[in-house]
Amino acid sequence: MCNSGTLPAFVIAEGLLRNLQIVPIARIGQCAGMSDPLLLLIAAAFLFAGFVKGVIGLGLPTVSMGLLAVTMQPSHALAIVIVPAVVTNIWQTFVGPYLRDIMRRLWPLMVGTVIGIWLNAGMLTGPYARYGTIVLGVLLVIYAIIGLNKFNFNVARRDEKWIGGIVGVMTGVVSAATGVQVIPSMPFMQSIGMEKDELVQALGVFFTVATVALAFNLTSAGLLTAATAWPGAVAMAASFTGMFVGQAVRSRLQPETFRRWFLIAMILLGLYLAGSAVYNIQRA
């Protein structure tokens, strides 16, 4: 997710919920008993993620998913990330005049992503859900390494639809397991020769479609309920606060320098998530 400023080189069952205990057993819609430390963690994670987005124009879902995954499973983190992600992506979708052309060029990517998410729907809550944190950590490392190396390639216009469909399915499968939608979709969208402003709007369109598809997965799994409304509201407020602060200080920072250190931090976070998850699985 980006803004129209400088564009970075690499632009991102029931038992499980009971064990996490985001909200104690209570009537639907009643969240008064939520743990204050958990709310503070959510607020801090989204405040930083929003700040990153405000400074460099992307990273809100990726950063927030990575930070929240330190203390909870990706499925529960994604249930909190969904609302802020949908709102910011819808706003980004309609900022620009390129919507018709974007839909014409990227519909195979978006359809493929929805299919991939549907095919891998059980990954967040099934028997392999505990491996989701490992995959998330590895993806954060890949995401950061590609960004640091400014990797880029070109796809011919005549090939972008069939390649986009394949990339979409791959992105959907990965996204259904981790909640992260930047691999391999972002390198592909950067490779098809869109203008900067068109690419910014295209990211909003793509992320909106992918995030709504993920929301259906979470609802079907019983994870996106009234119990997530309060943490989602906290995340929303913190996200926009962080974005406004990041935009305010952008002119005083060197965005490229900040982006470099941010990506290095993502590598360290990814290694920690993957390593700790492997250690916990081996102990189990």
Side-chain angles (χ1 to χ4, degrees):
M1 288 175 287
C2 313
N3 56 27
S4 57
T6 302
L7 191 67
F10 183 71
V11 183
I12 52 160
E14 178 185 1
L16 295 177
L17 184 59
R18 182 172 63 249
N19 291 337
L20 179 66
Q21 292 185 339
I22 292 180
V23 179
I25 299 174
R27 295 188 300 274
I28 293 177
Q30 185 179 27
C31 299
M34 175 168 290
S35 167
D36 288 338
L38 179 59
L39 286 178
L40 290 175
L41 170 66
I42 293 170
F46 280 90
L47 187 67
F48 179 70
F51 176 78
V52 170
K53 180 175 174 60
V55 173
I56 65 175
L58 78 156
L60 192 148
T62 306
V63 175
S64 55
M65 281 292 298
L67 293 176
L68 291 179
V70 174
T71 58
M72 63 182 73
Q73 293 191 20
S75 57
H76 303 131
L78 182 58
I80 299 171
V81 171
I82 282 291
V83 173
V86 168
V87 172
T88 55
N89 289 328
I90 289 177
W91 172 82
Q92 191 169 323
T93 293
F94 295 101
V95 178
Y98 305 103
L99 184 58
R100 180 178 298 179
D101 187 56
I102 289 169
M103 296 299 295
R104 181 176 57 85
R105 295 184 66 181
L106 295 185
W107 69 262
L109 174 70
M110 292 184 283
V111 170
T113 300
V114 172
I115 292 173
I117 289 173
W118 175 74
L119 289 174
N120 207 25
M123 189 65 178
L124 280 173
T125 56
Y128 299 103
R130 60 179 180 170
Y131 297 103
T133 303
I134 299 175
V135 178
L136 176 59
V138 172
L139 286 180
L140 290 177
V141 172
I142 295 173
Y143 169 87
I145 290 175
I146 294 178
L148 287 171
N149 289 277
K150 298 184 178 181
F151 176 78
N152 195 17
F153 62 95
N154 296 316
V155 173
R157 189 72 173 253
R158 65 180 181 274
D159 298 324
E160 65 182 39
K161 284 187 169 57
W162 70 266
I163 294 177
I166 295 173
V167 169
V169 173
M170 294 170 61
T171 300
V173 169
V174 171
S175 182
T178 66
V180 174
Q181 304 147 10
V182 295
I183 294 177
S185 61
M186 293 304 96
F188 169 77
M189 280 195 280
Q190 288 182 298
S191 73
I192 61 177
M194 287 183 168
E195 296 294 331
K196 182 176 68 174
D197 291 340
E198 185 178 9
L199 178 58
V200 169
Q201 188 175 4
L203 294 172
V205 176
F206 172 74
F207 282 131
T208 297
V209 172
T211 305
V212 170
L214 283 173
F216 278 103
N217 274 10
L218 293 175
T219 302
S220 300
L223 294 173
L224 193 61
T225 65
T228 61
W230 177 232
V234 171
M236 177 80 72
S239 296
F240 279 102
T241 301
M243 287 174 59
F244 291 142
V245 173
Q247 291 170 353
V249 303
R250 179 188 298 170
S251 60
R252 302 182 181 183
L253 294 176
Q254 292 292 332
E256 190 63 23
T257 300
F258 179 85
R259 187 182 69 88
R260 185 182 307 112
W261 286 106
F262 157 71
L263 292 172
I264 292 173
M266 286 296 98
I267 292 176
L268 297 176
L269 177 60
L271 291 174
Y272 170 77
L273 288 175
S276 61
V278 170
Y279 174 74
N280 289 333
I281 290 174
Q282 289 178 341
R283 290 186 59 190

